[in-house]
Amino acid sequence: MKLATLRTAGGSTTAALVTGAGSYLTLPALDVGALLAQPQWRLVVEKAAEAAADKDQASTEINLIAAADADLAPLLPRAGKVICCGLNYGDHIQEMGRELPEYPTLFAKYADTLLGANDAVEVHGSGRVDWEAELAVVVGSELFRADEDQAREAIGGYTVANDVSMRDWQSRTLQWFQGKAWDATTPVGPVMVTADEAGEEFEVRGYVNGELVQHGNTSTLVFGPAQLLSYISQFTVLRPGDLVLTGTPGGVGMGMTPPRYLEDGDVLTTEIDGIGRLENQFRIHAHAEATV
Amino acid sequence: MKLATLRTAGGSTTAALVTGAGSYLTLPALDVGALLAQPQWRLVVEKAAEAAADKDQASTEINLIAAADADLAPLLPRAGKVICCGLNYGDHIQEMGRELPEYPTLFAKYADTLLGANDAVEVHGSGRVDWEAELAVVVGSELFRADEDQAREAIGGYTVANDVSMRDWQSRTLQWFQGKAWDATTPVGPVMVTADEAGEEFEVRGYVNGELVQHGNTSTLVFGPAQLLSYISQFTVLRPGDLVLTGTPGGVGMGMTPPRYLEDGDVLTTEIDGIGRLENQFRIHAHAEATV
């Protein structure tokens, strides 16, 4: 099944199931993360779907939203952890003449960085805004010191993300955090495809104003989804609704000759077959920061 | 005033005020962060203190806990953001012959890393456990794109932290996160001293089994508390109860010849005059991780 998080009229959000007809059936949870945190979440979804199918059942509140009316929120607006892996596409690493890494390169961001699938991205104070199309893994059940099989079982599903990076800030120091943790700059969505319905590998594509700039297949990941979750869980607990970004294939703007960055008005599209597409326009206000 | 977070019998926590006599007066908030999130939090504290002074006022619940009975929880067990600065003590940087940095080196961890002031630290899977005694700043009010004066106003208070680091994991890749984000390994507390009662500079000391190993004065910080908060707020919002660690002075184990790491049973003491002391015993189980 495909699950989404929608903004509601009251300024809140709701989890929703994507129906066969492409509309959204609202579910009794604030977002996909809150839904997954309910151990019986599949039953909750089934019950809502049955109630919607049997429209005579007036006692149950049914709310179907047409695709055209849906306002997609960040898939996991309240994710406790958003952990990212860098340097993870083997073909790209090898074409650059580097050794495959022995350990995943990990860094953290907070849920405040996340943004909806079709939201505009406002950037104040960076002139080097770059793209990183990625497959993201949604944690479905709690795991700690899990082996790879346990980690595979704990995968809730998959979604699309773009780890938009402010390269000027990222390169100021050795630690990438300050180039990666800008509020409302990491689009994620439009849906989570549950692990049982997702394939084994994914084609990841990134486009700027319709031009293909990134293309990779997750079969070439050095550390696959279950390996990453297992590795991370050796030192920190992962909970339902946490998000792990698996890294980006070649073709980022920083790697071009000359380097290319997003400009005010550009549209970034991030797409994974079988999951969906993010389409985000950029508003870039490149004034300097106030201090330091 | 001095505020703390205590564990309660029911497995929960409560915010508390340290009284003049050194006991703890419980406050109507889950922890210091939840207290600071109430705009009128000073009134809440004053009301509780008045009610405690006027013991005839039977309608108000008064709960005084003796110091000996207090079980200190992590000061901010639910902090939304725990952002750390590295390489920030100017005297140490200069004695190493390095240039002072132009920008702060920042990295992130999650609230799961935090631990109480007297808790044992259990480490599974690292054999290079090192210490980093630090002054930590508690955010008192929300700030975003704040200048330095606004940031200074937003400081709620100061506390003591030790950014305990697993050097073997930290050095596996360029990003430090995996050596810094181990659950329940970063003691923080014992109290927050409110900004109005704290001094301008702090003596930070770290001891291993009673032997002084680190000593620095925050007057030599390259980026002081208000500068750090202002800088971070250029890209991400800081909220009441968020925590910013200001970096560690010289004297970490990794920098010794030969390097020295914590051993099973060692006691790490972290102390700042005017705030208090953390005392944490280590249980080190250095088996290898399960995977990768």
Side-chain angles (χ1 to χ4, degrees):
Chain A
M1 65 181 77
K2 289 184 177 179
L3 300 168
T5 301
L6 304 182
R7 295 191 181 95
T8 56
S12 185
T13 58
T14 180
L17 173 70
V18 184
T19 69
S23 49
Y24 295 85
L25 175 67
T26 65
L27 299 170
L30 264 183
D31 57 56
V32 170
L35 179 71
L36 294 176
Q38 302 176 34
Q40 303 296 318
W41 68 268
R42 283 186 179 270
L43 270 176
V44 172
V45 176
E46 281 165 21
K47 213 173 125 185
E50 281 166 20
D54 176 10
K55 288 183 187 174
D56 294 334
Q57 193 175 329
S59 65
T60 308
E61 202 179 316
I62 298 162
N63 196 353
L64 261 182
I65 297 169
D69 298 331
D71 182 2
L72 289 162
L75 185 73
L76 299 154
R78 298 163 189 88
K81 291 174 186 159
V82 181
I83 299 178
C84 308
C85 182
L87 314 172
N88 200 19
Y89 274 82
D91 53 354
H92 178 58
I93 294 168
Q94 289 179 316
E95 84 185 354
M96 304 290 284
R98 292 195 195 148
E99 294 284 308
L100 291 185
E102 192 176 355
Y103 302 105
T105 297
L106 301 174
F107 58 95
K109 48 172 80 184
Y110 298 106
D112 282 327
T113 58
L114 304 179
L115 197 70
N118 300 310
D119 291 344
V121 183
E122 299 273 347
V123 179
H124 292 260
S126 171
R128 296 194 174 176
V129 186
D130 201 353
W131 51 85
E132 295 198 352
E134 309 204 4
L135 172 73
V137 184
V138 181
V139 176
S141 55
E142 187 166 312
L143 71 161
F144 189 55
R145 294 190 202 134
D147 65 24
E148 211 174 304
D149 287 338
Q150 293 166 325
R152 192 170 290 110
E153 287 296 310
I155 294 175
Y158 300 93
T159 188
V160 185
N162 201 306
D163 180 26
V164 170
S165 302
M166 315 310 156
R167 302 298 188 194
D168 36 6
W169 288 65
Q170 186 184 341
S171 64
R172 286 180 173 183
T173 72
L174 287 175
Q175 298 304 298
W176 300 342
F177 173 73
Q178 65 188 272
K180 297 280 196 175
W182 289 46
D183 285 2
T185 60
T186 303
V188 58
V191 300
M192 178 191 97
V193 177
T194 50
D196 58 319
E197 291 188 9
E200 289 286 304
E201 56 183 67
F202 301 89
E203 290 284 325
V204 179
R205 293 187 187 83
Y207 304 81
V208 176
N209 300 329
E211 177 194 345
L212 182 70
V213 288
Q214 289 194 276
H215 183 204
N217 187 295
T218 60
S219 64
T220 71
L221 287 175
V222 182
F223 306 100
Q227 263 181 305
L228 283 176
L229 265 59
S230 168
Y231 187 86
I232 295 166
S233 83
Q234 302 309 310
F235 58 88
T236 190
V237 63
L238 292 171
R239 299 191 183 88
D242 285 346
L243 199 58
V244 174
L245 275 65
T246 60
T248 199
V252 299
M254 186 179 66
M256 294 181 175
T257 311
R260 174 178 171 184
Y261 299 106
L262 292 171
E263 296 181 6
D264 187 40
D266 279 354
V267 174
L268 180 66
T269 304
T270 318
E271 187 176 71
I272 297 181
D273 296 343
I275 304 178
R277 174 193 292 189
L278 312 171
E279 201 163 285
N280 302 90
Q281 188 165 37
F282 280 71
R283 300 284 174 217
I284 298 181
H285 318 269
H287 60 74
E289 77 277 17
T291 55
V292 181
Chain B
M1 67 182 76
K2 289 184 177 177
L3 300 168
T5 301
L6 304 182
R7 294 191 181 94
T8 57
S12 186
T13 58
T14 180
L17 172 70
V18 185
T19 70
S23 50
Y24 296 84
L25 174 67
T26 64
L27 300 170
L30 264 183
D31 56 56
V32 171
L35 179 70
L36 295 176
Q38 302 177 32
Q40 303 296 318
W41 69 267
R42 282 184 180 271
L43 270 176
V44 172
V45 176
E46 282 165 22
K47 212 173 127 186
E50 281 166 21
D54 175 11
K55 289 186 186 171
D56 294 335
Q57 194 176 327
S59 64
T60 308
E61 203 179 313
I62 299 162
N63 197 353
L64 262 182
I65 298 169
D69 298 332
D71 183 1
L72 289 161
L75 184 73
L76 300 154
R78 298 162 189 91
K81 290 173 186 161
V82 182
I83 300 179
C84 307
C85 183
L87 315 171
N88 199 19
Y89 274 82
D91 53 353
H92 179 58
I93 293 169
Q94 289 179 316
E95 85 185 354
M96 303 291 284
R98 292 194 196 149
E99 295 283 309
L100 292 186
E102 191 177 356
Y103 302 105
T105 296
L106 301 173
F107 58 95
K109 48 172 80 183
Y110 298 106
D112 282 326
T113 59
L114 303 179
L115 197 69
N118 300 309
D119 291 344
V121 183
E122 299 274 345
V123 178
H124 292 260
S126 170
R128 295 193 175 177
V129 185
D130 201 353
W131 51 83
E132 297 199 352
E134 310 204 5
L135 172 73
V137 185
V138 181
V139 177
S141 54
E142 186 165 314
L143 71 161
F144 189 55
R145 294 192 202 132
D147 64 25
E148 211 175 304
D149 287 338
Q150 293 167 327
R152 191 172 290 108
E153 287 297 310
I155 294 175
Y158 300 93
T159 188
V160 185
N162 202 306
D163 180 27
V164 170
S165 302
M166 316 310 156
R167 302 299 188 194
D168 38 4
W169 288 64
Q170 186 184 340
S171 64
R172 286 180 173 183
T173 71
L174 287 175
Q175 298 304 298
W176 300 343
F177 173 73
Q178 66 189 270
K180 298 279 194 174
W182 288 47
D183 284 2
T185 61
T186 303
V188 59
V191 299
M192 178 190 97
V193 178
T194 50
D196 58 319
E197 291 188 9
E200 288 286 303
E201 54 183 68
F202 302 89
E203 289 284 325
V204 179
R205 291 187 188 83
Y207 305 81
V208 176
N209 300 329
E211 177 194 345
L212 181 70
V213 290
Q214 289 193 276
H215 182 205
N217 187 294
T218 60
S219 63
T220 71
L221 287 175
V222 182
F223 306 100
Q227 263 181 304
L228 283 176
L229 265 58
S230 168
Y231 188 86
I232 294 165
S233 82
Q234 302 310 310
F235 58 88
T236 190
V237 64
L238 292 171
R239 300 191 182 88
D242 284 347
L243 198 60
V244 174
L245 275 65
T246 61
T248 199
V252 301
M254 186 180 65
M256 294 179 174
T257 311
R260 176 178 170 185
Y261 298 106
L262 291 170
E263 295 180 5
D264 187 41
D266 280 355
V267 174
L268 180 65
T269 305
T270 319
E271 186 175 70
I272 297 182
D273 295 345
I275 304 178
R277 174 192 291 186
L278 311 171
E279 200 163 285
N280 302 89
Q281 189 164 37
F282 279 72
R283 300 284 174 219
I284 298 180
H285 319 269
H287 59 74
E289 76 277 18
T291 54
V292 182

